[in-house]
Amino acid sequence: MTRKAVMLNLNRNRRERCFFRIAIARPVLRAYLDVIEHSGAVLTVFVLLFTAAQAHAGEIEPRAYVNTPVGINFLLAGYIYSDGGLSTAGSSPIKDAQLKMHTGILAYARSLDVWGKSGKFDVILPYSDLSGNAIVAGQTRERNVSGFNDPLFRFSVNFYGAPALSVQEFENYQQDIIIGASVQVSAPLGQYDEDKLVNLGNHRWFVKPDIGISKAWGGLSLELSTGVYLFSKNDDFFGGKTLEQDPLFTAQAHVTYSLGRGIWAALSFNHDYGGRTTVNGVKGDDLQQNSRVGLTLALPVNRNNSIKLYGNTGTHTSTGNDFDMVGIVWQYRWGAGL
């Protein structure tokens, strides 16, 4: 074989190897980008733990405001365990609650193009088993109940810094500052017994508008958000009484770091203020000033699957909310050419 033929053969082999590497590397890179952006971008199930309470509080949700390629579907299933003084209506005669709750969750979400901005819709359906005891009217009472919690629905949109992109366009996207907003609604469809103080459902609606901002510096990001729970009346509270609740304001801060290969971790802080209850016109001494801290770890499995581990605990509690919780969530993604 001549020198010229050898050189031509070597160049052809180089081109073939280069083409093979690109053919393999591009989908792998895209898969990692998808995992990094999607494994925590869609929704969280932390709020499910608190649907047993009369006041929804303590929600911790890192990466709520990130960009996600449009047209992707998400199916999530998870398990949450909590132990301690779960929140209850402070104006009721229940004291020193020590409750354990096992919660299984099923959720669906889809990323959307909202007039050129990235958005998403999600629905969460939890089922819980709750047991424990508390002091009611000076006597120790036990409570054991299983059933569905109130389902949750949410719509969100990033109106600055996160345009609606296809999976292919998303490969070149780099986050800087994102500003977004969301509205979450809880429907009173869960288990409820008007003769009991602690239930899995709440027999009332709540609406939670929220706004957040996220800033990225390479693999590190800081996210701040604030929202307010607005509650409807419960006209069948504990024997036919009327329960009302003031707005409950909430704020969150999250520091997230990408560890590479689709793995990320987040340190989160939450603070709630307000939410004082009134029963039959009598205002309770139950103003909430509660804080929590949490950790989250996201681990990719493959292109379409990921696992998220998390836990949080109370750091300051004025009314309820003094409990520990851990959970695991499996997430499956499909659609939009993944």
Side-chain angles (χ1 to χ4, degrees):
M1 183 178 293
T2 66
R3 176 180 176 83
K4 183 177 181 180
V6 170
M7 293 301 295
L8 288 173
N9 189 50
L10 287 174
N11 288 334
R12 183 169 59 251
N13 289 339
R14 290 192 185 105
R15 287 196 299 271
E16 289 175 352
R17 288 196 299 270
C18 182
F19 176 79
F20 177 78
R21 288 169 182 167
I22 292 174
I24 297 298
R26 286 191 64 182
V28 170
L29 176 60
R30 186 170 67 183
Y32 277 135
L33 286 172
D34 291 341
V35 169
I36 292 172
E37 293 301 326
H38 306 331
S39 58
V42 184
L43 73 160
T44 187
V45 294
F46 302 123
V47 71
L48 299 177
L49 176 64
F50 311 101
T51 53
Q54 294 295 339
H56 293 249
E59 175 184 351
I60 295 180
E61 180 175 5
R63 295 173 61 85
Y65 294 99
V66 298
N67 200 353
T68 305
V70 300
I72 299 178
N73 302 285
F74 302 83
L75 180 65
L76 298 95
Y79 166 76
I80 303 168
Y81 172 75
S82 64
D83 184 7
L86 292 174
S87 302
T88 58
S91 59
S92 68
I94 186 171
K95 303 294 181 183
D96 300 324
Q98 290 298 315
L99 304 173
K100 294 183 179 180
M101 186 157 70
H102 303 268
T103 299
I105 64 98
L106 186 65
Y108 169 79
R110 181 175 174 85
S111 56
L112 307 170
D113 182 338
V114 185
W115 296 295
K117 309 296 183 182
S118 61
K120 63 179 180 284
F121 170 79
D122 59 65
V123 55
I124 307 172
L125 181 63
Y127 185 96
S128 296
D129 178 79
L130 182 147
S131 62
N133 59 74
I135 298 175
V136 180
Q139 296 183 354
T140 300
R141 302 287 182 87
E142 293 187 356
R143 180 71 163 128
N144 295 278
V145 61
S146 299
F148 286 100
N149 303 55
D150 293 339
L152 299 167
F153 307 87
R154 180 169 52 184
F155 172 76
S156 63
V157 60
N158 296 313
F159 49 81
Y160 179 84
L165 301 172
S166 66
V167 171
Q168 293 74 22
E169 293 170 330
F170 192 78
E171 293 181 20
N172 298 317
Y173 172 77
Q174 295 292 329
Q175 179 186 334
D176 184 17
I177 296 177
I178 293 176
I179 302 175
S182 67
V183 176
Q184 187 178 58
V185 177
S186 173
L189 301 175
Q191 176 277 330
Y192 186 79
D193 185 344
E194 65 274 13
D195 295 323
K196 303 294 184 180
L197 285 168
V198 178
N199 289 285
L200 299 174
N202 289 278
H203 199 62
R204 60 175 178 169
W205 295 82
F206 83 66
V207 177
K208 183 200 174 193
D210 189 274
I211 188 169
I213 181 170
S214 176
K215 167 65 177 176
W217 297 271
L220 181 69
S221 66
L222 172 65
E223 182 178 323
L224 304 173
S225 66
T226 184
V228 57
Y229 292 91
L230 304 172
F231 304 94
S232 67
K233 294 181 181 180
N234 179 356
D235 293 322
D236 202 9
F237 172 70
F238 194 47
K241 300 181 180 68
T242 297
L243 170 69
E244 300 175 80
Q245 187 167 9
D246 293 343
L248 176 65
F249 297 90
T250 182
Q252 297 185 48
H254 311 278
V255 179
T256 304
Y257 184 70
S258 173
L259 302 174
R261 306 180 72 87
I263 304 170
W264 61 263
L267 175 64
S268 303
F269 303 91
N270 164 270
H271 182 74
D272 298 316
Y273 180 84
R276 179 171 290 173
T277 60
T278 300
V279 177
N280 280 358
V282 179
K283 189 171 287 290
D285 183 20
D286 57 356
L287 179 71
Q288 295 190 44
Q289 299 184 70
N290 301 329
S291 300
R292 299 185 68 79
V293 61
L295 290 172
T296 306
L297 177 65
L299 303 169
V301 176
N302 55 34
R303 183 182 183 84
N304 298 97
N305 295 273
S306 62
I307 294 174
K308 187 160 59 177
L309 307 171
Y310 53 87
N312 62 65
T313 186
T315 57
H316 177 269
T317 300
S318 63
T319 300
N321 207 30
D322 186 17
F323 61 91
D324 303 317
M325 62 85 69
V326 293
I328 181 171
V329 175
W330 163 81
Q331 180 179 265
Y332 175 73
R333 316 175 271 284
W334 77 96
L338 284 179

